[in-house]
Amino acid sequence: MSLHSISFESPLARIKIIATDRGIAKVLLGARQIDAQPCDEETEASPQVLRLLERAQEQIFGYAQGELREFDLPLDITGTAFQLAVWEAARNIPYGRTCSYADLAAELGRPRAARAIGGALHVNPVPIVVPCHRIIGKDGRLVGFGSGLDVKARLLSLEREAVAQSAPDV
């Protein structure tokens, strides 16, 4: 399986998207993650993969500008059945909203699995697309984000501001 990537600066952070011929495999945020994850690009990307990378870049850039709220990208991610369930549940958290690890665990019918939820979110291969930044501590604190809490805070702030700007005046 060939991996291909595109890197770019966004208003949020430096971003690298890695794709296969089946979909987006990874989204890396910030120099720390990008430097730790080299992408072996031995073959030239097909036109299909190039279009997918460009579409992903456009969508993530639109998100970073507060214009896009839902992603429409094929994903090529793997994980355990539990991880996949956690990532899918995270995708269902509405734009601009948050929930706690405990709330997500309860929603999945595993009320005592808050730490396991955190572990699954920590290895989420496609942050932003699977919005693990929307999960916060039970007390409302920002905790546990692989790209750093500063990036998590920027993502949540971006969403809050976009929601506030689109709210009708009363």
Side-chain angles (χ1 to χ4, degrees), residues 105-106 110-116:
R110 308 268 308 264
R112 301 186 70 181
R115 287 186 188 265

Side-chain angles (χ1 to χ4, degrees), residues 98-103 114 135-144 149 152:
T98 59
C99 81
S100 72
Y101 294 91
D103 292 338
I135 294 85
I136 59 175
K138 191 173 186 174
D139 61 2
R141 286 184 308 125
L142 301 186
V143 293
L149 294 181
K152 184 173 189 165

Side-chain angles (χ1 to χ4, degrees), residues 7-168:
S7 296
F8 58 96
E9 292 293 333
S10 83
L12 300 170
R14 180 150 185 76
I15 296 177
K16 183 175 191 176
I17 303 167
I18 301 174
T20 68
D21 58 343
R22 294 187 304 264
I24 302 302
K26 288 191 181 283
V27 174
L28 305 171
L29 301 170
R32 182 176 68 199
Q33 278 197 344
I34 291 170
D35 293 344
Q37 182 75 45
C39 178
D40 185 16
E41 301 175 63
E42 295 179 8
T43 62
E44 191 170 320
S46 70
Q48 173 186 342
V49 172
L50 289 174
R51 281 192 302 276
L52 173 60
L53 286 168
E54 289 170 1
R55 194 168 114 212
Q57 179 181 3
E58 287 171 7
Q59 287 189 23
I60 289 175
F61 214 88
Y63 169 86
Q65 293 178 316
E67 298 168 357
L68 184 94
R69 295 181 181 208
E70 290 185 33
F71 293 92
D72 178 26
L73 298 168
L75 301 179
D76 185 10
I77 57 176
T78 58
T80 66
F82 179 74
Q83 289 170 333
L84 292 170
V86 169
W87 299 336
E88 186 59 35
R91 289 183 85 176
N92 292 326
I93 299 168
Y95 182 92
R97 305 279 296 279
T98 59
C99 81
S100 72
Y101 294 91
D103 292 338
L104 199 58
E107 181 180 318
L108 289 169
R110 308 268 308 264
R112 301 186 70 181
R115 287 186 188 265
I117 298 280
L121 293 170
H122 184 71
V123 295
N124 170 15
V126 288
I128 298 179
V129 178
V130 171
C132 55
H133 61 277
R134 295 180 188 153
I135 294 85
I136 59 175
K138 191 173 186 174
D139 61 2
R141 286 184 308 125
L142 301 186
V143 293
F145 191 64
S147 299
L149 294 181
D150 59 325
V151 175
K152 184 173 189 165
R154 282 197 307 262
L155 293 169
L156 292 173
S157 177
L158 166 84
E159 291 185 12
R160 279 192 305 271
E161 289 172 17
V163 167
Q165 288 177 356
S166 67

